[in-house]
Amino acid sequence: MTNAGRTPVPAGPKRGWFTRFLDTVEWLGNLLPHPVTLFALFAVLVVVGSGVAAYFDFSAVDPRPEGAAGRSADGIIRVVSLFSVDGLQRIIANLVTNFTSFPPLGVVLVALLGVSIAEHSGLISAAMRGLVMGASKRMVTVTIVFAGIVSNTASELGYVVLIPMAAVIFHSLGRHPLAGLAAAFAGVSGGYSANLFIGTVDPLLAGFTTSAANLIDPSYNVGPEANWYFMIASTFVIATLGAIVTEKIVEPKLGKYNSDEASIDLGAQQLDKLTARERLGLKGAGLAFLLLAVLLALSIVPEWGILRNPETGGVPDSPFLKGIVVFIFVTFAIPGFVYGKIVGTMNTDRDVINAMSKSIGSMGLYIVLVFFAAQFVAFFGWSNMGAIFAVKGATALQEMGLTGPLLFVFFIAMCGFVNLMLGSASAQWAITAPIFVPMLMIVGYSPEVIQAAYRIGDSVTNVITPMMSYFGLILAVAARYKKDMGLGTLIATMLPYSMVFFIGWTILFILWVFVAGFPVGPNAPTYYEFSAG
């Protein structure tokens, strides 16, 4: 049979190398099991691996001085086999306490209780609408990116509310709606770790960092406020960079918008302005927040402040810093209830209780994940494998001469690459922190600084990875305005943000930590030294 007379089949669109690369990343990411399954597998792997490593006498010289807490008499760190009768007994006896004493669990749930009141009362949504809709046309882009960053205080609210709202705002201004969507997405996801306030992600990451640091220093504690100063500065830098990328790169590339491309009736869209009752509620909530801030300042600023350290009279190691999660709860819960009382969304204690119970109910998956993550972290610590990997890795870094700013550039880039395949910030840090925190502590850097660097890498590639849990939602919203919107188009739109955020945020980190010598948070040291005893 010949091909004569047949109509040739048209060739598909030519796929560039970058599209093929993204397809490969997506394929590899899809091969990974669910994060819960991943932690369970890692826990089993540690148990079996510790038995193999102990058999081959895997060990390292302990770099800590003689007399340091946890240092053996002969100065050698050896693997402890969990693949044994003693190991099995230890696992069974401590399975529950590993979970209940895991640092991120309690602090995240307590902080979430307060945030849930502010969220379900409508305070956070109204505040975001007021911020964005009240901005001038000249400032609307930077305001949207800024609002996206701040919205991370309330977890997924930015994805669900702000991103669709930003597309509507841009379209109403005669601008390309996908540019508005991209600007908001960049703020919410690309600037995920930046914020003016301490939110639920801060105690979550600090808990994992504390557990990892305890492999080297059992007494070390990282508080939720550990990166606060640096993240405040990052908020303004990322908001500015996001606005520049939107107006100078993304929007010109998108061109003039043609409403025929939409898959919905754009004329039916409308953005509700704040009502008089909502504006009154915001004023009431603002007044409540101001009063709380004054009371808090009176308790920590004066020398006689009741929340200062009772022994030293200072703020370091004070009840304020130790109990900062409590203040996160209060500063969201009370203004949230005041707002709800004024607008009518919260009238009785039952409304408050229902708001908190709904949020805790939505944390079921997180609690399951934490159970298995806690076992993995505990097993890894018991086996001494983390400490040995840290010593050997730190030695390799020192032999390579890779220290200072260059070391952290590579570390941030590595975190960003891992994030392409493991989009959950908590899952990624729970796996990598037990290795990299001790390793970089041995090189001489504090867990607070290491965590700040991780947060940059974890954030900047969120907007270009299909593994990010809300990526499908963003794609669905974008398809409203462009019928043929595909994964490659969305990633190509967001790639400039990822690149500029990586460069700009890394430069800010280097200038902040190594040039200016500023602390990344309250009482957060830059360097770490082993201490005896």
Side-chain angles (χ1 to χ4, degrees):
M1 182 180 292
T2 66
N3 290 329
R6 287 189 176 184
T7 304
V9 178
K14 187 177 181 180
R15 301 172 63 79
W17 68 268
F18 185 67
T19 302
R20 293 196 299 272
F21 165 73
L22 292 175
D23 288 342
T24 303
V25 170
E26 183 179 5
W27 176 74
L28 289 173
N30 286 333
L31 292 179
L32 292 173
H34 192 282
V36 172
T37 307
L38 200 62
F39 279 123
L41 291 173
F42 279 147
V44 172
L45 185 62
V46 168
V47 172
V48 177
S50 67
V52 176
Y55 178 80
F56 288 101
D57 196 26
F58 186 51
S59 61
V61 177
D62 196 328
R64 294 174 291 184
E66 291 186 18
R71 190 179 191 271
S72 63
D74 61 359
I76 302 296
I77 307 174
R78 293 182 175 84
V79 171
V80 176
S81 174
L82 301 179
F83 197 64
S84 62
V85 173
D86 290 341
L88 179 61
Q89 291 174 346
R90 187 176 188 181
I91 290 171
I92 293 173
N94 292 278
L95 202 70
V96 175
T97 54
N98 288 344
F99 172 55
T100 57
S101 63
F102 197 53
L105 180 61
V107 290
V108 170
L109 295 181
V110 171
L112 182 66
L113 289 175
V115 173
S116 65
I117 296 173
E119 180 179 351
H120 288 282
S121 70
L123 170 60
I124 295 177
S125 176
M128 287 170 49
R129 283 160 51 213
L131 176 65
V132 173
M133 296 177 66
S136 65
K137 290 185 178 181
R138 182 180 180 85
M139 292 294 294
V140 70
T141 307
V142 69
T143 303
I144 284 176
V145 181
F146 180 83
I149 297 170
V150 175
S151 73
N152 287 315
T153 308
S155 187
E156 76 279 355
L157 195 67
Y159 293 103
V160 177
V161 176
L162 181 63
I163 292 176
M165 184 172 69
V168 175
I169 290 173
F170 263 52
H171 182 254
S172 67
L173 295 175
R175 300 172 65 178
H176 203 298
L178 292 185
L181 177 145
F185 187 23
V188 173
S189 199
Y192 177 70
S193 276
N195 217 314
L196 299 180
F197 310 103
I198 298 174
T200 53
V201 69
D202 295 278
L204 174 65
L205 296 181
F208 286 118
T209 306
T210 296
S211 296
N214 291 161
L215 297 174
I216 293 294
D217 186 343
S219 64
Y220 206 98
N221 182 67
V222 179
E225 77 290 346
N227 300 144
W228 195 17
Y229 296 160
F230 179 67
M231 292 309 158
I232 290 175
S234 299
T235 300
F236 296 101
V237 171
I238 295 300
T240 302
L241 291 176
I244 292 172
V245 171
T246 301
E247 297 185 350
K248 302 298 182 182
I249 301 176
V250 172
E251 201 163 8
K253 183 178 182 299
L254 289 171
K256 187 174 178 60
Y257 182 63
N258 181 359
S259 58
D260 292 339
E261 300 177 40
S263 61
I264 61 172
D265 180 11
L266 297 180
Q269 284 194 337
Q270 66 178 47
L271 196 63
D272 295 331
K273 295 182 179 180
L274 292 175
T275 64
R277 180 64 64 89
E278 287 175 325
R279 287 194 293 270
L280 182 61
L282 287 175
K283 290 179 181 178
L287 180 60
F289 178 81
L290 182 61
L291 290 174
L292 287 171
V294 170
L295 290 174
L296 190 58
L298 289 174
S299 66
I300 58 176
V301 174
E303 294 183 359
W304 45 262
I306 61 173
L307 294 180
R308 296 172 75 91
N309 189 311
E311 297 179 0
T312 65
V315 177
D317 200 30
S318 65
F320 167 68
L321 292 182
K322 290 180 178 179
I324 197 164
V325 174
V326 176
F327 301 108
I328 296 174
F329 170 81
V330 171
T331 52
F332 278 97
I334 294 179
F337 178 72
V338 170
Y339 175 86
K341 189 70 175 176
I342 293 173
V343 302
T345 55
M346 285 189 171
N347 296 309
T348 67
D349 59 329
R350 290 186 178 274
D351 295 324
V352 176
I353 294 169
N354 288 337
M356 291 191 289
S357 62
K358 285 179 182 178
S359 292
I360 293 298
S362 68
M363 294 295 285
L365 178 59
Y366 168 75
I367 293 173
V368 174
L369 186 146
V370 163
F371 174 80
F372 289 97
Q375 309 311 323
F376 162 69
V377 171
F379 297 172
F380 204 57
W382 295 344
S383 70
N384 283 340
M385 292 174 67
I388 295 173
F389 283 138
V391 171
K392 292 186 177 296
T395 301
L397 291 175
Q398 290 169 336
E399 291 175 350
M400 293 167 58
L402 199 59
T403 59
L406 185 60
L407 168 62
F408 279 95
V409 170
F410 279 96
F411 177 62
I412 292 169
M414 183 276 302
C415 292
F417 178 75
V418 172
N419 190 53
L420 289 173
M421 292 164 283
L422 193 62
S424 167
S426 57
Q428 181 186 345
W429 194 226
I431 292 171
T432 56
I435 298 173
F436 291 105
V437 170
M439 182 188 300
L440 296 180
M441 285 175 71
I442 292 173
V443 175
Y445 297 101
S446 74
E448 292 87 348
V449 167
I450 300 166
Q451 178 181 280
Y454 162 75
R455 295 175 73 163
I456 297 173
D458 173 66
S459 298
V460 296
T461 54
N462 276 338
V463 294
I464 59 170
T465 172
M467 297 303 105
M468 198 274 293
S469 56
Y470 286 95
F471 206 84
L473 172 64
I474 307 305
L475 187 62
V477 175
R480 299 176 186 174
Y481 301 93
K482 187 175 176 63
K483 299 174 187 176
D484 57 349
M485 189 73 180
L487 186 66
T489 305
L490 180 57
I491 293 176
T493 302
M494 301 308 300
L495 184 61
Y497 294 102
S498 187
M499 297 171 66
V500 172
F501 284 5
F502 171 76
I503 295 171
W505 212 343
T506 302
I507 290 174
L508 174 65
F509 177 80
I510 292 171
L511 293 176
W512 187 277
V513 173
F514 295 103
V515 178
F518 294 148
V520 292
N523 306 298
T526 298
Y527 301 100
Y528 175 81
E529 295 182 4
F530 292 109
S531 58

